[in-house]
């Protein structure tokens, strides 16, 4: 298996634009997590899914953020409209039950 | 919100020495996990210790868990230059919601 795949690897956009981050979890994993990492706040859990169903989105900072998981092999995190304070590294991770998370390489987002 | 807090925030030691990092958390847990993150990369799962376990080993890694003190430690023996990375603890709280929350990490630098 290729592991968790995230795209794009880097995204530079202007304030106000829509940003869509993509994630393909490891086949067979039934949990998918979206995290955001910054120097100031560390790793923040944004939302996670179990069997494609959102379980907890209390970490989503604002209504500008939305996440979907239309099937077991794909998830998106969308920011609309984007703001400079959204600049961070966004990680997707998947797991199968109470075991370790497998992380993707992350998307480095810069909002100018 | 952060569940785990690592201590120290940064640590520099000579190659060959042992490195010890600590993690404290706030609520009862199902398990505690340790991860490593190399610069610019995703996190890699190192070891998971369940709430009913007190010590676990994996190669040069030794993890202890004291649930009465709500704390854990990660010991890396005979450190190598390749161990230079950030190390994070993560907890799965004992409330059946499967959330995995990370601390801010310890930056470990192994000096040649």
């Amino acid at each position: 298996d290729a592991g968790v795949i995230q795209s794009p690897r880097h995204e530079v956009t202007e304030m106000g634009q829509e940003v869509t981050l993509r994630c393909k979890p490891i086949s067979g994993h039934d949990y998918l997590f979206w995290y955001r990492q910054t120097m100031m706040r560390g790793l923040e859990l944004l939302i996670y899914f179990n069997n494609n169903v959102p379980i907890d989105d209390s970490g989503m900072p604002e209504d500008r953020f939305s996440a979907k998981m239309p099937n077991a092999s794909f998830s998106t995190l969308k920011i609309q409209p984007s703001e400079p304070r959204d600049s961070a590294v966004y990680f997707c991770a998947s797991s199968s039950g109470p075991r370790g998370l497998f992380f993707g390489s992350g998307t480095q987002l810069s909002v100018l | 919100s952060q569940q785990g807090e690592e201590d120290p925030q940064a640590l520099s030691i000579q190659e060959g020495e042992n490195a010890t990092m600590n993690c404290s958390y706030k609520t009862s847990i199902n398990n505690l996990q340790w991860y490593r993150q190399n610069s610019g990369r995703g996190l890699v799962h190192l070891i998971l210790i369940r709430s009913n376990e007190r010590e676990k080993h994996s190669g040069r890694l030794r993890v202890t868990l004291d649930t009465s003190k709500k704390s854990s430690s990660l010991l890396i023996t005979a450190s190598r230059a390749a161990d230079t990375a950030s190390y994070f603890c993560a907890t799965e709280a004992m409330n059946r919601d499967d959330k995995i929350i990370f601390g801010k990490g310890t930056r470990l630098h192994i000096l040649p």
Side-chain angles (χ1 to χ4, degrees):
Chain A
D1 200 321
V4 176
I5 299 173
Q6 289 187 247
S7 64
R9 189 79 172 87
H10 301 276
E11 176 81 33
V12 180
T13 190
E14 292 188 346
M15 184 174 63
Q17 297 297 307
E18 177 179 296
V19 174
T20 299
L21 312 181
R22 297 173 177 79
C23 175
K24 177 178 166 51
I26 292 173
S27 177
H29 282 187
D30 53 356
Y31 284 87
L32 185 140
F33 298 76
W34 282 101
Y35 289 89
R36 176 173 70 177
Q37 186 176 37
T38 61
M39 286 295 292
M40 287 294 295
R41 302 165 80 102
L43 267 162
E44 299 174 277
L45 175 62
L46 301 177
I47 184 172
Y48 73 99
F49 298 81
N50 179 220
N51 292 320
N52 313 339
V53 176
I55 303 301
D56 189 328
D57 65 355
S58 60
M60 297 285 260
E62 299 170 32
D63 291 345
R64 298 184 296 107
F65 286 68
S66 62
K68 294 181 180 179
M69 193 164 185
N71 56 63
S73 59
F74 185 65
S75 177
T76 59
L77 178 67
K78 186 175 293 187
I79 308 172
Q80 165 65 12
S82 58
E83 296 182 2
R85 60 193 166 123
D86 302 330
S87 297
V89 181
Y90 290 80
F91 286 104
C92 173
S94 69
S95 73
S96 176
R99 299 176 184 86
L101 298 181
F102 290 79
F103 278 77
S105 297
T107 294
Q108 173 83 57
L109 174 65
S110 297
V111 183
L112 306 177
Chain B
S1 60
Q2 242 78 30
Q3 160 75 311
E5 292 290 336
E6 290 88 342
D7 167 55
Q9 290 187 351
L11 178 63
S12 292
I13 61 171
Q14 293 294 137
E15 193 168 14
E17 292 181 341
N18 296 341
T20 299
M21 288 158 274
N22 303 296
C23 170
S24 59
Y25 57 92
K26 297 172 184 172
T27 63
S28 296
I29 59 172
N30 287 326
N31 64 68
L32 185 144
Q33 306 169 29
W34 284 92
Y35 291 78
R36 183 187 72 231
Q37 184 180 32
N38 291 93
S39 180
R41 310 289 291 273
L43 282 75
V44 174
H45 178 252
L46 297 176
I47 198 164
L48 180 151
I49 186 164
R50 300 184 194 284
S51 60
N52 61 352
E53 298 176 309
R54 291 297 166 256
E55 189 171 310
K56 206 159 183 181
H57 297 255
S58 177
R60 294 184 297 113
L61 305 181
R62 173 178 170 254
V63 168
T64 62
L65 179 64
D66 187 335
T67 53
S68 66
K69 295 181 180 178
K70 291 187 169 58
S71 68
S72 174
S73 67
L74 170 66
L75 169 68
I76 303 174
T77 60
S79 62
R80 305 168 181 170
D83 295 328
T84 294
S86 291
Y87 291 82
F88 296 85
C89 70
T91 53
E92 183 182 320
M94 189 185 289
N95 61 0
R96 301 184 182 179
D97 70 356
D98 303 317
K99 266 185 183 179
I100 298 176
I101 304 296
F102 284 81
K104 288 196 172 182
T106 292
R107 293 187 309 280
L108 176 64
H109 187 202
I110 308 300
L111 304 168

